[in-house]
Amino acid sequence: MAGKAGTTRGRSMTVNMDDIARLAEVSKPTVSRVLNGSPLVSEATRERVLQVARAHGYAVNRNAQKLRQARTETIAVMLDFGSHRHGRIADPFVFELLAGVSEALSVRNQDLLLSPPGLSDAQACIDLIAGRAADGFIFLGQGGREPMLRDLSRSATPFVVWGAVNPENSYCAVGSDNRLGGRLAGDLFVTRGARRWLFVGNVEHEEIRLRHEGLRQAGDAADASIDLLLVEHMAYSAVYAGAAAWLTRHPAPDAVFAFSDTAAMAVIAAFRDAGLSAPDDYALVGYNNIPPAADFTPAITTIEQETHLAGAILVEKLMQQIEGSRAKSTMLPTRLIVRDT
Amino acid sequence: MAGKAGTTRGRSMTVNMDDIARLAEVSKPTVSRVLNGSPLVSEATRERVLQVARAHGYAVNRNAQKLRQARTETIAVMLDFGSHRHGRIADPFVFELLAGVSEALSVRNQDLLLSPPGLSDAQACIDLIAGRAADGFIFLGQGGREPMLRDLSRSATPFVVWGAVNPENSYCAVGSDNRLGGRLAGDLFVTRGARRWLFVGNVEHEEIRLRHEGLRQAGDAADASIDLLLVEHMAYSAVYAGAAAWLTRHPAPDAVFAFSDTAAMAVIAAFRDAGLSAPDDYALVGYNNIPPAADFTPAITTIEQETHLAGAILVEKLMQQIEGSRAKSTMLPTRLIVRDT
DNA sequence: TTGTATGCGTTATCAC
DNA sequence: GTGATAACGCATACAA
């Protein structure tokens, strides 16, 4: 009947396993066994221990646990806030990915450490693992960090990447078939009879580079010209500004492929302000098939990525690596959704 | 010249502080001091230790550190994926908030533990702190968890909330002046001469309830009727479906206040499909002022929340609590941005 | 300025 | 089934 959280000498305020052991009149290891669901413990003592633990609001110290165990049960997730920020976020797309990963991790009882922006070199990542802050990494979007990922793949660090799937890369990546996405857009432009195409996006991002490449394949076959509008960053406003500026210095294209649906919206706005409208003056294809794309005016033709499975797949493949196997890269289904533009 | 990571008996593969101490020919505490930037150490030994540490890829074990120290330097951030998911995410807004929080935390060298979806009762939160997994919580959006937040505020758990600021609540909240936001929208409707208003949103969310209340204040004064369209969840598609269904069963409103800009877009789409367009047939106000709102067709009139500071403020107030002080709730500036609708 | 000794709260290894 | 004991890797009080 020692009231609240009693402890060894009345010094500490926080209940630990020793306290529970004493109060339940068992040994410390037994408490541990109970809390970890070991079968090597009688029903009676299990009940008693659990009751005492609950009554005293006891929770296992995760840090002591992680210190003692081989695995930390923590996964570091790296978002490229950097390229998506700058004012305001571009796209809900990455967020959906994050939600999926979060859910998949929680199913496996893994903690999600959302890594700080600017942790951009391989050594910093290696140190995070060495410091036992996490067991592995999930990178959501390659961003411009292709080189560092290559560095990282030379270490033993377990990690997976959402982004471009390149057979030459030595690491495990999951993503849509970006090159095919580009080709599908290009094929559509061809059927529309467009000749002066414009690609909007930053080709330093591997995913986007591949889309550009796919588009060019289709364009070369059809003898179309392809200009490149390199936007400063992914935010809506930057795309809008870039597209508006483009039109003041170049003849208007008759087909535009934008790196995201949000970017496509920005293009539509900028072009409209210049008196151009899709699909009358130009064909337009976006990427991701975010929900508003369907109901935008005009409804945006786009490439769909299968994101709802992404989280689970990424986590699955990462776990394989952490457990010592290798994991193969995968390309998810990718298709064109034709709408008004 | 012991090659790689030598250790006590050649057993362990992982370098620890003891190893570094031995290799640098100093004692363990000295290594600790160097790594923590203590001034009580000579320049010479500091250099030597750092060099050895780097050469062996040593990184302090964060778990041992956290076990030993009073603070974990970790903040748990709770997103309401639940209400924003269901198919696909509604709004980039929460993501911007998260980016801000992430940045503010990294400035203070705090780890960000992104908490699992479904951790929805106060006891689970208390246990997280008791288990020393984090020092405090940041809730991004009250969602429907108002009761649990009230419970939690009765414990000693440090936490802050982005959402509705209610003077009656005993916890620290930061957010826009939702009631004012509603009133501003209502005032606009009055000047437009609208009489049959429609509020779109789930009033079980405290923030949204306050917006509804503000709208009603304005409506009552002007003797307008206010209907309530309770959407099933926050996703774009749900709002679209809800709005479309509404029109089949009710006379068309001449003013609509939507709980977010994304929701406003969905309303525009649904109404357009029913032959109605803003601002000719109805006035429309959204919330958040997300970037695409300005360039949407038509450009959406909206209420602006000052999000760029939110992250820093939330973190600041949480830290105050962790350090033992109390922190007051704050309402951020809130204003109407009139555009085409 | 540096070293010695101790304890943080767990889990694993062994005995019983 | 259960208990004693020894790590896990670090930071701190104190001594030198």
Side-chain angles (χ1 to χ4, degrees), chain A residues 195-198 219 223-227:
Chain A
R195 308 302 306 268
R196 298 185 315 284
W197 304 359
L198 176 62
D223 211 41
S225 76
I226 305 186
D227 275 324

Short mmCIF file of all heavy atoms in Angstrom, two decimals, chain A residues 195-198 219 223-227:
data_model
loop_
_atom_site.label_atom_id
_atom_site.label_comp_id
_atom_site.label_asym_id
_atom_site.label_seq_id
_atom_site.Cartn_x
_atom_site.Cartn_y
_atom_site.Cartn_z
N ARG A 195 3.88 19.37 -82.24
CA ARG A 195 5.25 19.34 -82.76
C ARG A 195 6.24 20.07 -81.87
O ARG A 195 7.42 19.78 -81.86
CB ARG A 195 5.30 19.97 -84.17
CG ARG A 195 4.30 19.42 -85.18
CD ARG A 195 4.48 17.92 -85.36
NE ARG A 195 5.85 17.59 -85.71
CZ ARG A 195 6.30 17.48 -86.96
NH1 ARG A 195 5.46 17.66 -87.97
NH2 ARG A 195 7.55 17.18 -87.20
N ARG A 196 5.81 21.05 -81.14
CA ARG A 196 6.71 21.83 -80.27
C ARG A 196 6.36 21.53 -78.82
O ARG A 196 5.49 22.15 -78.23
CB ARG A 196 6.58 23.32 -80.55
CG ARG A 196 6.95 23.73 -81.97
CD ARG A 196 6.91 25.24 -82.13
NE ARG A 196 5.70 25.81 -81.53
CZ ARG A 196 4.49 25.75 -82.09
NH1 ARG A 196 4.32 25.14 -83.24
NH2 ARG A 196 3.46 26.30 -81.49
N TRP A 197 7.09 20.57 -78.24
CA TRP A 197 6.77 20.13 -76.90
C TRP A 197 7.59 20.87 -75.85
O TRP A 197 8.72 21.30 -76.12
CB TRP A 197 7.04 18.63 -76.73
CG TRP A 197 6.32 17.77 -77.73
CD1 TRP A 197 5.47 18.18 -78.72
CD2 TRP A 197 6.43 16.35 -77.85
NE1 TRP A 197 5.01 17.10 -79.44
CE2 TRP A 197 5.59 15.96 -78.92
CE3 TRP A 197 7.12 15.37 -77.16
CZ2 TRP A 197 5.45 14.64 -79.31
CZ3 TRP A 197 6.97 14.05 -77.55
CH2 TRP A 197 6.15 13.69 -78.62
N LEU A 198 7.01 20.95 -74.66
CA LEU A 198 7.76 21.55 -73.55
C LEU A 198 7.71 20.62 -72.36
O LEU A 198 6.64 20.14 -71.95
CB LEU A 198 7.13 22.90 -73.16
CG LEU A 198 7.76 23.60 -71.95
CD1 LEU A 198 9.22 23.95 -72.21
CD2 LEU A 198 6.98 24.86 -71.57
N GLY A 219 9.35 11.68 -78.72
CA GLY A 219 9.49 12.88 -79.54
C GLY A 219 10.41 12.68 -80.72
O GLY A 219 10.14 13.14 -81.83
N ASP A 223 9.74 13.09 -84.54
CA ASP A 223 10.38 14.28 -85.06
C ASP A 223 9.82 15.58 -84.48
O ASP A 223 9.65 16.58 -85.19
CB ASP A 223 10.26 14.31 -86.60
CG ASP A 223 11.46 15.01 -87.19
OD1 ASP A 223 12.58 14.78 -86.70
OD2 ASP A 223 11.26 15.81 -88.13
N ALA A 224 9.53 15.54 -83.19
CA ALA A 224 9.05 16.74 -82.51
C ALA A 224 10.22 17.42 -81.79
O ALA A 224 11.19 16.78 -81.42
CB ALA A 224 7.98 16.36 -81.49
N SER A 225 10.13 18.72 -81.59
CA SER A 225 11.16 19.41 -80.80
C SER A 225 10.72 19.43 -79.35
O SER A 225 9.54 19.52 -79.04
CB SER A 225 11.32 20.85 -81.31
OG SER A 225 10.25 21.65 -80.85
N ILE A 226 11.71 19.29 -78.45
CA ILE A 226 11.36 19.29 -77.03
C ILE A 226 12.18 20.33 -76.28
O ILE A 226 13.40 20.20 -76.17
CB ILE A 226 11.60 17.92 -76.39
CG1 ILE A 226 10.84 16.84 -77.16
CG2 ILE A 226 11.16 17.93 -74.93
CD1 ILE A 226 10.90 15.49 -76.52
N ASP A 227 11.52 21.34 -75.79
CA ASP A 227 12.21 22.32 -74.96
C ASP A 227 12.13 21.90 -73.51
O ASP A 227 11.30 21.08 -73.12
CB ASP A 227 11.58 23.70 -75.15
CG ASP A 227 12.17 24.40 -76.37
OD1 ASP A 227 13.38 24.23 -76.61
OD2 ASP A 227 11.41 25.11 -77.06
#
